Amino acid sequence: MEETPKMSQVSSSSSAQSERSPPMYEPRILRRDEVDAAAASLADAFAKDDVAMYFVETDETKHWTAERRWQLHLRIMRCIVDAHCLEGYALTIGPNYDGIALWMPPGKTMDGWCTAIRSGLAWLRATLPRESRIRFNNEFLPLLHHTKQETLGQNDNDSWYLVYIGTREEGRHKGYCKKLIKWGTKQVSEWKASS
């Protein structure tokens, strides 16, 4: 007959298990007081991305210090994360905002004036260096909207849109992006079922 384990054996065996395996993290919705930390993580994740740096690495900013260009990149990410906290879903996963996903649900946009003012996007769009402003306002945003509309056609207003997803270096290869995407696909399924 097997002996029932004693409570001390059970707790020491579970603590030994938790020491061997990393903790399990699940996606959660960001609060607005977490925008700065989440933006720093997203900025890290996209630090070497040519598209994200397109607004930062211009002829006009090439004489800037690396720190000043980084601050511009961080300011752009902060406004975008905050706009998603206000109008969409800004998610994080991991112990240090290791993974970030920005989802926009159907019928929502970060382009409204109220959102632009509250998130800082209006101020950002007006105060970017000239070439960065042209790239952001006249090239990137219109191209993004046009491509989305052209691709989704009549379903554009009824679609969920993953605007950004990224993990900082120390958060990679842990399944964080997979969990952030699964969170979104679950929302889509629930939304379709309720429609």
Side-chain angles (χ1 to χ4, degrees), residues 156-191:
D156 185 29
N157 291 329
D158 295 325
S159 65
W160 282 77
Y161 184 51
L162 179 58
V163 179
Y164 273 98
I165 187 165
T167 53
R168 44 175 29 149
E169 191 89 26
E170 60 270 18
R172 294 185 182 150
H173 309 291
K174 296 180 180 179
Y176 290 158
C177 281
K178 180 179 180 178
K179 286 184 175 185
L180 291 166
I181 290 172
K182 279 188 170 186
W183 182 94
T185 57
K186 181 180 179 218
Q187 301 308 307
V188 171
S189 297
E190 290 174 3
W191 177 77

Side-chain angles (χ1 to χ4, degrees):
M1 184 167 155
E2 280 187 30
E3 189 177 313
T4 307
K6 296 178 185 161
M7 188 53 106
S8 62
Q9 291 172 318
V10 172
S11 62
S12 69
S13 125
S14 359
S15 67
Q17 174 64 28
S18 67
E19 288 172 19
R20 286 191 302 262
S21 330
M24 298 301 295
Y25 292 99
E26 295 301 321
R28 67 177 181 78
I29 296 173
L30 287 166
R31 299 180 316 268
R32 283 194 73 208
D33 65 345
E34 298 176 291
V35 166
D36 289 336
S41 179
L42 200 58
D44 284 347
F46 285 89
K48 295 177 184 169
D49 181 78
D50 291 338
V51 174
M53 300 312 288
Y54 181 64
F55 318 114
V56 177
E57 303 290 340
T58 68
D59 287 340
E60 196 173 0
T61 62
K62 67 182 174 188
H63 68 280
W64 288 13
T65 63
E67 176 60 23
R68 188 173 175 197
R69 284 192 304 273
W70 177 256
Q71 289 302 317
L72 176 59
H73 176 55
L74 193 56
R75 187 167 48 133
I76 292 167
M77 291 299 180
R78 191 208 179 284
C79 292
I80 291 170
V81 170
D82 198 18
H84 283 80
C85 282
L86 291 165
E87 288 297 322
Y89 294 97
L91 302 172
T92 187
I93 190 169
N96 192 26
Y97 304 93
D98 293 327
I100 303 292
L102 304 179
W103 286 92
M104 195 58 72
K108 295 284 189 170
T109 177
M110 64 180 202
D111 298 333
W113 272 107
C114 186
T115 302
I117 290 168
R118 290 179 65 204
S119 68
L121 274 170
W123 176 79
L124 173 75
R125 291 172 78 170
T127 61
L128 283 169
R130 183 182 178 282
E131 193 173 347
S132 300
R133 189 170 53 247
I134 290 168
R135 289 178 177 192
F136 191 74
N137 295 334
N138 301 357
E139 296 174 15
F140 180 73
L141 291 179
L143 179 63
L144 191 65
H145 289 280
H146 175 74
T147 303
K148 182 175 175 268
Q149 288 173 340
E150 189 176 279
T151 303
L152 296 173
Q154 65 185 21
N155 297 321
D156 185 29
N157 291 329
D158 295 325
S159 65
W160 282 77
Y161 184 51
L162 179 58
V163 179
Y164 273 98
I165 187 165
T167 53
R168 44 175 29 149
E169 191 89 26
E170 60 270 18
R172 294 185 182 150
H173 309 291
K174 296 180 180 179
Y176 290 158
C177 281
K178 180 179 180 178
K179 286 184 175 185
L180 291 166
I181 290 172
K182 279 188 170 186
W183 182 94
T185 57
K186 181 180 179 218
Q187 301 308 307
V188 171
S189 297
E190 290 174 3
W191 177 77
K192 279 185 174 181
S194 70
S195 296

